[in-house]
Amino acid sequence: MTMPIPPQVTPTHVELESAMSTAQPSLPSRWRQFNALTKPRVIQLIVFCALIGMVLAVPGVPGWLHLKQALVACVGIWLVAGAAAAFNCLVEKKIDATMKRTSWRPTAKGELSDREALVFSALLCSAGSVLLYFWVNPLTMWLTFATFIGYAVVYTVILKPLTPQNIVIGGASGAMPPVLGWAAMTGEVGPEALILFLIIFLWTPPHFWALALYRVEDYRKSGLPMLPVTHGNEFTRLQVLLYTFILAAACMLPFIYRMSGWFYLVVALALSVGFCGYAWALWRNYSDALARKTFRFSLIHLSLLFAALLIDHYLVAP
């Protein structure tokens, strides 16, 4: 007895096209995947802070040559910062896959291979470095490259999985943008740039720990030794409060050093009171909703603080 041979099914043209489109994402989709690796929202804040450093470094209203240099420097810093973010996504792809906040990233979902992410990061870093070295100045290039190493290697590879103080030490890389901007316009790092560095350096821990508080289970699952995981909720809330007090004092330095005027002082005082108020409320009576509000206000705090520096600079400009 012979078994009947089932008829061969030939895939239709539509089915073939569907299979091909599934296997090979379209160019717009591919572009979105690579763009996501650069963490666009984070990059926007980085470039904005760098731009403030550039503007404050130039007395009065900048001329065309200053604007041209600032534009080139912003592009170069954006490229290298994007490279660092892409490398971070590559190194942390397994950790990202376990966390709700980051599981959508292309490297975590396997949409981009390790080789694609690494080549993309290398290309961005190379292009940005060349741009900064030849069209801005060597100091800015080396400082930006050092920031890349600090974030992509020292923080991501070494500090983050090793110590709960990772964000404090690694925060130095995140505080560099205004220093890069200042160096781009002057070819040196002045005390004003270091004041701006200090403000962001002190802002980073309470900003990030507020996020870590309401995302603690994600970090616990990932195995990263973030402060709420290693030292608990109450200790972390106290650290947030203490850092906001120190940050409030640092925010007064631009006025004390006379690099800003009364407009900045009023805005800085209001923002500092607001941030300290959120930190105090968080310390006294914790909730995930309040931690989320504190995190969001920290973003508003830094953005408006630097915007106030910018506006004040032109209010007192000759």
Side-chain angles (χ1 to χ4, degrees):
M1 181 176 179
T2 59
M3 297 292 293
I5 300 174
Q8 294 184 346
V9 178
T10 303
T12 65
H13 179 69
V14 173
E15 289 171 333
L16 285 173
E17 284 190 346
S18 176
M20 290 175 66
S21 64
T22 303
Q24 299 178 349
S26 63
L27 285 177
S29 174
R30 207 66 167 168
W31 162 252
R32 284 193 295 269
Q33 290 169 358
F34 281 113
N35 184 53
L37 288 187
T38 65
K39 303 181 182 179
R41 291 184 180 180
V42 177
I43 297 298
Q44 288 173 10
L45 187 57
I46 289 173
V47 174
F48 173 71
C49 291
L51 181 61
I52 298 301
M54 296 175 201
V55 172
L56 295 180
V58 179
V61 179
W64 166 245
L65 290 178
H66 288 132
L67 292 175
K68 183 180 177 182
Q69 180 137 335
L71 177 61
V72 174
C74 283
V75 173
I77 292 169
W78 180 90
L79 288 169
V80 179
F87 190 82
N88 172 269
C89 289
L90 170 61
V91 173
E92 295 189 342
K93 65 174 186 175
K94 291 183 180 178
I95 294 173
D96 287 344
T98 67
M99 300 175 65
K100 293 179 181 179
R101 185 173 66 91
T102 56
S103 59
W104 59 271
R105 289 175 179 166
T107 42
K109 293 174 66 176
E111 295 173 344
L112 293 174
S113 67
D114 291 358
R115 181 180 178 182
E116 288 173 323
L118 184 60
V119 170
F120 178 66
S121 176
L123 288 174
L124 288 185
C125 186
S126 299
S129 298
V130 168
L131 200 64
L132 292 172
Y133 189 92
F134 290 103
W135 282 277
V136 181
N137 59 60
L139 176 62
T140 305
M141 188 282 286
W142 287 116
L143 287 174
T144 307
F145 184 72
T147 303
F148 171 88
I149 297 297
Y151 177 76
V153 180
V154 177
Y155 170 70
T156 301
V157 178
I158 300 174
L159 292 176
K160 195 170 183 180
L162 186 65
T163 170
Q165 292 298 311
N166 47 27
I167 199 64
V168 177
I169 306 169
S173 296
M176 283 296 289
V179 178
L180 305 180
W182 194 279
M185 305 308 289
T186 65
E188 61 182 18
V189 177
E192 298 91 344
L194 296 179
I195 289 174
L196 300 178
F197 170 91
L198 180 63
I199 290 173
I200 301 180
F201 181 76
L202 294 172
W203 169 88
T204 302
H207 159 74
F208 188 84
W209 285 334
L211 168 70
L213 279 168
Y214 70 87
R215 294 287 190 181
V216 63
E217 292 307 319
D218 267 356
Y219 286 113
R220 198 188 311 277
K221 189 188 304 181
S222 71
L224 292 173
M226 294 304 174
L227 197 64
V229 176
T230 60
H231 288 70
N233 182 289
E234 185 176 353
F235 180 83
T236 304
R237 284 151 47 202
L238 177 60
Q239 296 304 303
V240 170
L241 178 63
L242 294 177
Y243 263 93
T244 54
F245 287 160
I246 300 171
L247 172 63
C251 288
M252 302 301 111
L253 289 177
F255 179 79
I256 294 171
Y257 194 73
R258 296 187 177 180
M259 61 182 288
S260 66
W262 290 99
F263 175 80
Y264 167 79
L265 180 63
V266 171
V267 174
L269 282 171
L271 291 171
S272 296
V273 169
F275 203 176
C276 290
Y278 271 106
W280 176 266
L282 192 66
W283 179 59
R284 293 297 300 266
N285 188 22
Y286 177 80
S287 71
D288 283 354
L290 185 55
R292 186 177 287 105
K293 288 179 180 178
T294 304
F295 170 74
R296 290 174 178 169
F297 183 82
S298 69
L299 292 170
I300 296 171
H301 173 278
L302 187 65
S303 300
L304 292 184
L305 190 77
F306 273 69
L309 278 170
L310 175 63
I311 295 171
D312 188 276
H313 178 69
Y314 290 114
L315 288 176
V316 299

